[in-house]
Structures are given as C-alpha cells and as structure tokens.
Amino acid sequence: MTHAFPQPAELDADWLMNVVSECLQLPAEAIDHNVPLVRYGLDSLGAVQLTTAIAAELQLDVPDSLLLYHPDLKSLESFMRATRRDDPAAVLKGTLAPSHLDQMLADSILPADIQPNPVSGTTSPAASILLTGATGFLGAYLLRALLRETSADIYCLVRPSETGLRQRVRRNLEHYGIWKSEFESRVHVIEGDLRIPVLGIPVRELEKLADEVDEIYHCGADVNWVVPYAGLRDINVLGTRELLRLACSGKPKPFHFVSTMAACYSTSRLGEVTEQDDMFPYLDSIHLGYAQSKCVAESLVRHAGERGLPVTIHRPSLICGDGTTGFSNENDLLSNMIRGCIQMGSTPDLDWILDCCPVDYVADAIVGLSHRPDDSLRVFHLANPTSRHWREVVLWINLFGFPIKRVSYRDWLSEMRTAAATPDHPLYRLRSFFLARPLADSDLTLPELYEEHRRNRVSQIRTQRKLSESTVACPPLNARLLDRYFTSFIERQILPNVGAQARDRGTVPSDWNAEFFQTVLRSHYDDDSIRVQELILLEEASQESITTELTSWQNGTEAGLWKYRVGLGDNRNRMPKSTELFLKVKPHDQDLLVVSEKVAAMCDDNLGQAFARHKRRLGILGSHVREINVYRQEDHRFRIHVPEVFAAIENEPERQWALVLESLSELELMDSASDVSGWRPTHVKAAIEGIAQVHSIWYEREQELSEKRWLGPNLSASSMSEMTDLWEALADHAWKYFSLWIGADTRGLVAELIAGVGQWWQSLEQMPRTMIHNDFNPRNIAFRNQCGEIRLCAYDWELASPGIPQHDLAELLCFVLPPDCSRETVLHYVELHRESLSLATGRSIDPDTWQVGFQLALRGLILNRLPMYCLMHTFRHQPFLPRVIQTWRRLHDFQFGLP
C-alpha cells in the first residue's frame, strides 16, 4: 500500500511523527520515541517508504539502510537535525554504523532462574510436542514431519488474530498442499505470542502446558533480511528465552532450536566453521541483524544445555521450495531475488554459492536428527551437498526462457534502485539488504560480504554422517529441481509463461529396464540362462559436465552416468548373484552445441559470436557417437587400459546413444583432479606407460585415422589461423583468471602465441599423429591395482581426436605435477613417454623433436583446453584449475626443445 504522506511541518520531529504514524496506521500518542518501529509492525515495505519520504524531505540521497542504524523515532530525529545542521555527507558517513553489541551481549546471558530440574531414569517417546512457527513456511513442513514421524499430539503456539487459530494452521498446510485429514485429531493450537513475556499465556495455562508438553521445537522467528537486531530482538531472542523457561519448568523438555547458517558467517572468523564451533565470540563481526539475533539466541540455548537441558541447534542454509512438488515461498529472499532479476532483465555478477535445501528435506532432517540420542550438545548444519554457483543458476534461467544479462554489482545496484522504486517490485522490500554497507572502513555491501571468497566455509561432515544412518537425503540442486520450482511459479502465475514445457522426466531412465540389462548380459557372456531378477538404481545421473546436465534437462533426455546393481539368478557361468554396472547415456551433439553456445554467450558477447562461427570445428561435433566407436576397438593394447564394455548402443531413429560399462567404484584415484595428493610417481608412470600403449595403436597411421569419421577434428595450421577470433575471445575471458593465478605478463605471452599460431602450428602439424584421448587428466583416468601391479584405466573418450601424443602427456602433467616441479622431473616423464611409445611401436623417436612437440602441445593447451576450463569455471567452480594453470606456466617456461 502506498501512503499519501503529510506535508513537512516546521519541526522535523512533528513531521517525522506524522509520517511514522501514517506508515504504522497508529495514533501518534501510541508511539514511544525510544521503541524500535518494527515492534509496532513496521515491515520492510513500510521501512522503504519511510526512508524514501525522509530522503525527499531532506533532498538528500539517503541510503535504504537508514533504518538499520536508526530504528526508532529518537535516533531518526537526531539524524535529520544533524543533516540540516552539519555537512550531510559527513553525517551520513559517521552515523550509519552504531553498534547494538552491548545489548546483544546482555541478551545472551540466560537468567539464573531458568534451570532444569534434575531427571532420573529413561525417557519415553514424547506424547505431546510444542511447536512454534506452524503458520510459517518451514514450520508447516516441520509440523507435517512431526505428525508423520512421531505418534505425539502437536500443540502449535499461534499468535492471536481475527481469524481462527486452528483454521490458520490448517490453511497454511493446505496452501502448500501438505494437509491430510488424518492430521486433524492430533493438531492442537495454543494462543501465545513470542514477543510478550511468558509468551502472553496466563500463568495457570502456562503451568498446565509445562506439565503436559514433553518436547519443544522452536521454529518461530521473524526471518527478515533488512531489519536490524533491535527490531528482531523481541521475537527471535526474548521469545527463545521464554520458551527455554517453559522447557525448564516442571519436567525438563528436550529443546530443538532452528537457527540459521547465516550465524556462521563472520568477517573476522577465518577458516572453516564446523558443527562444534560456537560463533558467539565472533558476534561483533556478524553484520546481518537476523544472523545476530539467531547467534544470541543460540547462546541462550547453549547455556540451557550446559545447565542440563537436552538441546539441539539446527543451522539450515537458505530454504527453497518443496523438493517433490516445487511449491515454494514466493516471498522469501531467493524467490524475490529471482523474480526481481527476471523483471529487471539483469542480474548482479556476484560470487555467490547457493547451497539452499528443499524445505521438506530440512524439516525431515531436523526431526530425524533431534531424535538420535547423543550425550553431548548437538549442533547440525543443513546445506545442500550439491551446491550451485549463482552464475550457473542465471545460465539455467536463460535456457528456461527468461533472458537476463549479467552486469557488475555496482551497475546492477544503480539499475535496481531505479527499477525497484515502487512497492509492487519484488526487490522493493530488499533494497536495504542490497544497499547496506555495514563496515565502517569498507565500501562493501552486505551481499558482497557473502561472496564465496569472503565468507567462511561451513562444514557439515558430522551432520551428513548422522544423516547417512537414516533415509533422509537432500535432493541435489540441479536443473531438474530448478525446473520444478519455475514450473510451480508459472502455474501459480508468479512468473509469466514463456512457453517452456516442464522437462522433468523423473529420476529413472525409462527404456533401460531389467529386460534391457538381461539382454546385454546374455549377449556379453553368450549365456541365455542369465536372468535379471532385480534392478536397483544406486546413483542418479552423475553429470560433472555443466553442458551435459543442462543439455539433458533442456531436451528432456536422460543423459548422464547412472549406476545400477543388477541382481541375477542361477546361470551356467556361475556369475555372482549381483553385479554393479554403469549406464552412460550420451546427449546428441547438436543439443550440446546449442547449450555450449549459450554458455559462451553468457560469458561475453564476442565470445558467444566467435563460438557460434567456429562451433562445428570443435570437438563437440560428433561427440555422441565418438566414444561409442572408440570403445568398439578390439586391439588388446586398448582393451586392457579402458573399462570393460558390456554394450554399445547407437540407435539414431530413437535418438539413443549409450554405453554399458563395468562399475569403476573400486579403482584407485577416481575423480582425483581436485586433490592429487594421492598420486605417487608409480601412478604417473603407470598413466604414461598405459597411454603410450594406446598411442602406439594408431601412431603414424594418419591416413587410416582420417578415414575414421567419428573421430574429432584434425585442425590444420590454416584452420587454427582462421579461428584466431575464437582464441582471442577465449583469452580475453580467461585473462581475469590467468592474471590472478600466473601473473599479468601472461596476456602478452598468450597474445603472441595466438598471433603466431599459423607458423608454430605448422611445425606441430608435421609431427607424427595418433588417436589421442584429448581430455587425459585425473577427471577421466583411474587405476586398477591387481596384486600390487598398477595399470591405467582411461574413460570418457568423447573428445578423442587425431593429434600428437605429447598433447595427452602435457595435459596429464599440468594436472598431476605441483607448480614448483623441477625441470628434471618433467624431463624424466617426457622421456618415459617417448621411450614407452618407441618400445610399443618398434620405431626410433628423436628425443629433441619429441621435446619440441611437448612444448608445442603446451602452447595448444593455453589456446584451447585451458581457456575452455575457464569458461566453465565462470559458472561451476573447478577447484583444480588454479593449480593446473600455475603448473602449465611452470612447464611452459622451461621451453623444452626450443632455443
């Protein structure tokens, strides 16, 4: 609602009182000058309107965060008088960061009279549970979880209102589609208010409640991202204190407190925050009022635990919609952020990692964890194990059909202040959050303090270990889950319908059933007696590649790597009763190209245009059939260094391309690219000797290789020259990473290599070629260890192409050697590769020419492969990349074989 504010009076105090009175819809005599306005019901919408009115009256650019630091009439009056009397800029700089620390420190002390009575003997399951927050989002799902997982009656503390209390609870669950008629008899309501001493419950009723209730779940809170601590204190802190008093009255009642992971983010606490860490000592460097209030409340709960009350603290990350239905809270921070950015057509380019959890998972996890016996204080962290970068979510939104561009945060702030100037804009209420600058000595805003490179890392290892003992699992934050959320938004008309169809085809590939696997195994073992009696999906599609995941989602396919356990009956070959297999379903190359082009365009317009011009020359073309044909090779040198292949499916009419492979779970150093500490010289040696065996098959057989139409492109010097605009665009995009990791002079080095690519690529082109893996690194290789003998197992051959064998070696060494490796170590491995290939082919290979080829291969990596990794790194963090780039620079500077 937009208010018609009164005209300014002679005195600021009179004018301000009239404006505040109008905002709150309260008579002036009912407003105390020293009481925070939020206590009178001033919400984020009213706060922005009040700030706007003050700015207009002062004719001053007042920040939206003004009320964060001047929350009551008295401090607002002082601020307005100071700006009229003194230099406004100096006043703004000097008065926008008062501290509530003294108040918070005082509030954190639990009164001495809140003391649980001693209890003896064993406790039985709770027959009656008190729940706060049942009329909220998480509270609704927590109520459902308690009703489903316990046999207790649930008593819901509900704030007085004009509508029926019981009806409010029921309607809230109905709104989210989770109410069931059988809940009716077990749900009870109690009128109370967290803002009022003793919860506003008459003494006799409170005593009766203390005797009847066996357990308390405290989920009720004011979840507000713009209100300061003073405005949240009554509900979030004092309300918790009153509930702890109730928990300690009569019989001790286990107390389960829902906090927030935001309480873990401090600008002075360095390193990782674990479940055992108390964040209260870092309270003065936690800058979000909501997080401060939860941190202080946690201190009260801890004190109660130290006095003998059984307590748990649950710190969830941002909570998103129902993981099954997609129904979400359209008024929370994340929903408003997404809706607002879509409405603006732009998004801030922030280094945010989203680890939000579906609301149903959080509720089920809280109930499950709180009922696992433990003598110690229990604190649990609930974050999505499959997190996503904000940029990846933005990319997905574009692919869904909502065009939004990435812009710098400061440019976006300027756009947002103009676009979100009216109450109907989703970001209007959040303006203070985005504009607040809480640090006196820094210009950083609150959202910038939450960027990944600034905020603490939070560990949930202990929590996940506990949850692994249960059936509660967090749905991954992937394209399929985002699709459910956006489909729900569109169905509820929260977002416009852009013609996108729901692409979620479920979690199990439909055509790859027990009959299919039975046919595969019978054919592979030539045994018609094999019968598949059971088929269990162990792992949903693993999609390490962002392009594979998004292509699979956008086209409604089942691309990815699926892991199955196949249960077998008796058979002639006496095979074990069960075996594990991987099903690798391939996306079509044209679909991959569409998504890859969008990824490039989202990085930079020039890069997108250059990618579009040359995309058919890249290894993506033909990738859906390439790996299938690579695996069809029968040469023993190939077969012993790759996974066992049970079936290769190439069905063009049905658009099915797939491989059935042995499970690789027991191999050494699987997926070790991000941590190569387990790599020993014996592993490097085995990898080099193994790939040399594979290289030997097609070495110096260029004519025959050229006839393999399914192989990747064989780029000539002229082709490389014609693609100069792509190499330049890739280098421009990668520059921000290269300059950070290997120095500013890299730009000139790469530019020189691009300018001369037509010349030095001719030298490379004259060297003997073979079939190379072209993605030969710890992401795609592992090792078999049989009786102490280590042997290479290389997989993911979709980029295989003709090339000089040194290319695979150069990529491997960039990944597995440290950035401070010695020249002697590198030369040793270069020679090992040459000698191994020479032995396998029976040909003499000149050492000097071989070293030149290795150096030229390093040049090729910095033009194509490594900048492509940087492109993906923009959207999905590649933890190995800084180390790999640094090692590349080390190897390149050795200048092997060159004058």
Side-chain angles (χ1 to χ4, degrees):
M1 173 181 177
T2 303
H3 299 288
F5 294 116
Q7 293 299 309
E10 184 177 352
L11 296 175
D12 285 332
D14 295 337
W15 176 86
L16 186 62
M17 173 59 83
N18 290 334
V19 171
V20 169
S21 174
E22 179 67 23
C23 266
L24 296 175
Q25 295 291 289
L26 289 174
E29 56 270 20
I31 304 173
D32 190 312
H33 279 62
N34 297 298
V35 174
L37 299 179
V38 293
R39 294 193 189 181
Y40 295 105
L42 183 72
D43 59 12
S44 53
L45 176 62
V48 174
Q49 291 178 320
L50 178 56
T51 304
T52 302
I54 292 173
E57 162 63 6
L58 294 175
Q59 297 184 353
L60 187 66
D61 188 16
V62 174
D64 284 7
S65 56
L66 177 68
L67 292 179
L68 294 180
Y69 310 107
H70 301 281
D72 53 50
L73 270 170
K74 183 177 180 180
S75 61
L76 283 173
E77 289 172 8
S78 298
F79 167 77
M80 293 187 70
R81 286 177 175 144
T83 56
R84 294 192 187 280
R85 182 180 64 244
D86 304 319
D87 176 28
V91 172
L92 283 170
K93 184 175 181 180
T95 65
L96 287 183
S99 173
H100 302 293
L101 185 60
D102 291 343
Q103 181 70 69
M104 290 189 283
L105 292 174
D107 290 343
S108 69
I109 300 172
L110 189 67
D113 63 322
I114 301 180
Q115 179 76 39
N117 295 317
V119 63
S120 58
T122 59
T123 57
S124 56
S128 299
I129 295 173
L130 177 66
L131 170 66
T132 69
T135 56
F137 184 44
L138 175 59
Y141 282 84
L142 196 52
L143 174 56
R144 183 184 71 166
L146 289 169
L147 290 166
R148 294 198 306 189
E149 300 300 323
T150 76
S151 58
D153 281 1
I154 313 300
Y155 291 81
C156 302
L157 186 71
V158 182
R159 187 185 302 177
S161 69
E162 295 179 0
T163 58
L165 305 187
R166 187 180 186 85
Q167 190 178 40
R168 283 180 60 199
V169 172
R170 174 171 178 163
R171 282 184 176 176
N172 191 43
L173 270 68
E174 288 175 339
H175 176 68
Y176 296 115
I178 58 175
W179 174 262
K180 293 185 180 296
S181 58
E182 56 264 32
F183 294 166
E184 189 76 45
S185 62
R186 293 173 53 204
V187 175
H188 312 275
V189 294
I190 298 171
E191 184 176 300
D193 194 330
L194 293 172
R195 299 173 298 180
I196 302 175
V198 298
L199 307 174
I201 301 176
V203 174
R204 288 192 177 180
E205 291 184 24
L206 195 64
E207 291 174 348
K208 180 182 178 184
L209 186 64
D211 289 336
E212 291 181 350
V213 168
D214 302 311
E215 199 167 10
I216 297 175
Y217 282 80
H218 180 26
C219 180
D222 187 349
V223 183
N224 194 306
W225 293 81
V226 299
V227 173
Y229 175 83
L232 302 171
R233 175 176 177 262
D234 286 358
I235 293 180
N236 294 358
V237 178
L238 303 187
T240 301
R241 186 182 68 189
E242 294 306 304
L243 283 166
L244 286 169
R245 188 186 304 278
L246 176 64
C248 292
S249 299
K251 58 188 175 186
K253 304 161 205 44
F255 189 88
H256 309 294
F257 177 61
V258 180
S259 183
T260 173
M261 197 166 284
C264 297
Y265 299 131
S266 158
T267 53
S268 66
R269 170 69 160 83
L270 301 178
E272 187 175 71
V273 178
T274 71
E275 293 95 334
Q276 289 87 355
D277 290 324
D278 181 1
M279 293 303 295
F280 187 74
Y282 307 97
L283 180 62
D284 61 341
S285 55
I286 296 174
H287 302 288
L288 182 67
Y290 173 62
Q292 293 169 343
S293 71
K294 286 295 189 177
C295 189
V296 173
E298 278 190 20
S299 180
L300 297 175
V301 176
R302 288 177 182 273
H303 288 162
E306 292 165 359
R307 296 177 188 180
L309 186 70
V311 299
T312 63
I313 296 173
H314 303 267
R315 293 170 172 167
S317 61
L318 281 177
I319 296 174
C320 49
D322 189 311
T324 301
T325 67
F327 206 111
S328 59
N329 180 3
E330 62 268 27
N331 293 315
D332 65 13
L333 174 71
L334 190 57
S335 295
N336 279 319
M337 178 71 178
I338 291 172
R339 291 165 54 211
C341 288
I342 289 174
Q343 195 165 319
M344 288 174 60
S346 65
T347 178
D349 191 21
L350 287 164
D351 183 24
W352 278 350
I353 295 294
L354 297 183
D355 51 7
C356 47
C357 298
V359 62
D360 48 331
Y361 161 75
V362 174
D364 292 344
I366 289 173
V367 173
L369 290 167
S370 60
H371 287 152
R372 295 195 170 272
D374 193 329
D375 293 334
S376 64
L377 172 70
R378 293 172 292 166
V379 180
F380 300 106
H381 289 166
L382 296 170
N384 200 312
T386 310
S387 58
R388 287 289 185 265
H389 199 284
W390 169 243
R391 295 190 192 108
E392 186 174 348
V393 175
V394 172
L395 171 62
W396 182 91
I397 293 171
N398 273 271
L399 288 169
F400 190 89
F402 294 104
I404 53 175
K405 63 182 186 296
R406 292 189 300 125
V407 298
S408 72
Y409 184 57
R410 296 310 166 97
D411 287 345
W412 183 83
L413 282 181
S414 297
E415 291 182 22
M416 187 271 294
R417 294 192 73 163
T418 301
T422 56
D424 59 340
H425 197 281
L427 295 176
Y428 185 78
R429 297 169 183 260
L430 294 170
R431 284 165 53 109
S432 297
F433 170 73
F434 288 110
L435 295 167
R437 292 173 169 82
L439 300 180
D441 58 349
S442 172
D443 195 39
L444 292 174
T445 62
L446 266 173
E448 289 171 300
L449 293 178
Y450 284 101
E451 290 191 281
E452 185 64 12
H453 59 282
R454 292 191 181 95
R455 72 174 189 173
N456 307 110
R457 287 180 295 108
V458 180
S459 169
Q460 56 172 334
I461 294 175
R462 182 170 172 256
T463 304
Q464 288 300 313
R465 189 180 300 128
K466 281 280 187 183
L467 286 172
S468 67
E469 303 168 2
S470 70
T471 58
V472 179
C474 184
L477 185 59
N478 55 20
R480 185 163 54 239
L481 187 61
L482 290 171
D483 189 279
R484 290 177 201 158
Y485 293 154
F486 273 63
T487 300
S488 176
F489 277 149
I490 291 170
E491 289 173 348
R492 290 183 283 153
Q493 299 182 339
I494 295 169
L495 286 176
N497 191 339
V498 289
Q501 299 296 319
R503 303 169 176 91
D504 182 7
R505 291 183 56 178
T507 59
V508 181
S510 54
D511 296 329
W512 320 102
N513 50 29
E515 182 180 356
F516 164 78
F517 280 97
Q518 180 172 284
T519 302
V520 166
L521 291 172
R522 285 182 175 184
S523 174
H524 184 74
Y525 290 107
D526 192 22
D527 183 355
D528 289 340
S529 70
I530 294 176
R531 294 189 179 280
V532 173
Q533 297 181 330
E534 184 180 42
L535 185 65
I536 301 174
L537 178 63
L538 299 178
E539 293 179 10
E540 289 189 24
S542 172
Q543 296 161 327
E544 291 295 324
S545 165
I546 182 175
T547 51
T548 298
E549 178 183 347
L550 293 175
T551 301
S552 174
W553 161 77
Q554 190 172 55
N555 294 279
T557 63
E558 298 145 344
L561 192 65
W562 306 77
K563 184 178 181 180
Y564 286 91
R565 177 178 295 126
V566 184
L568 303 176
D570 295 334
N571 55 84
R572 291 197 303 268
N573 286 322
R574 297 183 179 178
M575 292 174 59
K577 291 295 184 182
S578 70
T579 186
E580 292 183 2
L581 296 172
F582 277 135
L583 171 67
K584 185 174 186 179
V585 183
K586 310 287 295 180
H588 193 274
D589 61 351
Q590 298 301 320
D591 298 334
L592 267 177
L593 282 171
V594 170
V595 172
S596 299
E597 187 177 338
K598 175 64 74 172
V599 171
M602 283 293 294
C603 288
D604 179 78
D605 288 341
N606 290 334
L607 179 54
Q609 292 165 10
F611 190 97
R613 283 192 292 271
H614 302 294
K615 61 186 178 183
R616 301 188 68 82
R617 288 174 161 177
L618 302 175
I620 299 172
L621 195 66
S623 58
H624 63 300
V625 297
R626 183 174 304 128
E627 186 174 26
I628 293 171
N629 283 280
V630 168
Y631 274 121
R632 284 173 173 159
Q633 296 180 94
E634 296 296 336
D635 192 293
H636 177 70
R637 290 168 291 181
F638 178 78
R639 295 253 52 92
I640 64 172
H641 292 111
V642 298
E644 182 179 5
V645 181
F646 286 78
I649 297 97
E650 189 174 357
N651 188 338
E652 189 78 29
E654 296 295 328
R655 291 179 61 85
Q656 290 180 341
W657 302 273
L659 291 159
V660 180
L661 306 171
E662 66 168 304
S663 171
L664 305 179
S665 304
E666 301 303 319
L667 298 189
E668 289 184 4
L669 297 177
M670 279 284 294
D671 299 322
S672 59
S674 297
D675 181 9
V676 294
S677 60
W679 277 71
R680 302 288 180 261
T682 51
H683 294 109
V684 183
K685 180 174 183 288
I688 292 173
E689 291 176 340
I691 198 63
Q693 287 283 319
V694 177
H695 288 158
S696 71
I697 301 171
W698 296 98
Y699 188 66
E700 292 188 321
R701 296 168 61 186
E702 286 87 350
Q703 181 58 40
E704 293 174 79
L705 272 180
S706 67
E707 297 171 0
K708 305 297 181 184
R709 300 301 182 189
W710 40 264
L711 268 182
N714 185 6
L715 294 176
S716 64
S718 60
S719 296
M720 292 295 293
S721 294
E722 291 168 2
M723 297 171 70
T724 294
D725 58 333
L726 177 59
W727 311 138
E728 289 175 343
L730 283 169
D732 287 344
H733 173 260
W735 162 242
K736 60 186 174 185
Y737 302 118
F738 287 172
S739 61
L740 180 65
W741 299 333
I742 55 176
D745 64 322
T746 309
R747 189 172 198 134
L749 168 63
V750 176
E752 184 179 343
L753 292 176
I754 294 173
V757 67
Q759 286 74 43
W760 60 263
W761 197 270
Q762 286 182 6
S763 300
L764 184 149
E765 199 174 0
Q766 300 304 313
M767 295 181 175
R769 299 198 173 195
T770 184
M771 184 189 78
I772 62 173
H773 186 284
N774 207 25
D775 202 10
F776 192 67
N777 61 65
R779 297 167 62 247
N780 304 313
I781 61 178
F783 299 92
R784 304 184 195 277
N785 192 332
Q786 297 173 328
C787 301
E789 178 186 354
I790 298 175
R791 189 170 76 238
L792 169 72
C793 181
Y795 44 93
D796 288 355
W797 288 82
E798 43 264 295
L799 296 181
S801 67
I804 63 171
Q806 295 97 315
H807 177 95
D808 283 344
L809 175 67
E811 184 166 5
L812 173 70
L813 296 185
C814 285
F815 270 80
V816 302
L817 295 184
D820 61 351
C821 59
S822 68
R823 180 183 178 89
E824 291 71 27
T825 297
V826 180
L827 272 176
H828 166 72
Y829 289 128
V830 172
E831 277 299 290
L832 175 63
H833 189 210
R834 183 189 67 82
E835 292 169 356
S836 299
L837 184 59
S838 179
L839 180 64
T841 59
R843 293 177 173 86
S844 175
I845 302 174
D846 178 65
D848 294 336
T849 305
W850 186 259
Q851 288 186 27
V852 172
F854 179 75
Q855 187 70 31
L856 294 177
L858 287 169
R859 291 182 177 183
L861 285 175
I862 204 64
L863 256 66
N864 185 354
R865 297 288 296 136
L866 298 182
M868 284 292 187
Y869 277 124
C870 290
L871 189 151
M872 297 305 168
H873 184 74
T874 299
F875 300 99
R876 183 176 292 181
H877 185 51
Q878 309 291 315
F880 56 81
L881 195 53
R883 184 194 73 246
V884 170
I885 299 294
Q886 290 163 9
T887 300
W888 175 88
R889 182 63 190 259
R890 178 77 166 179
L891 269 56
H892 177 271
D893 287 352
F894 286 144
Q895 291 292 302
F896 293 106
L898 298 179

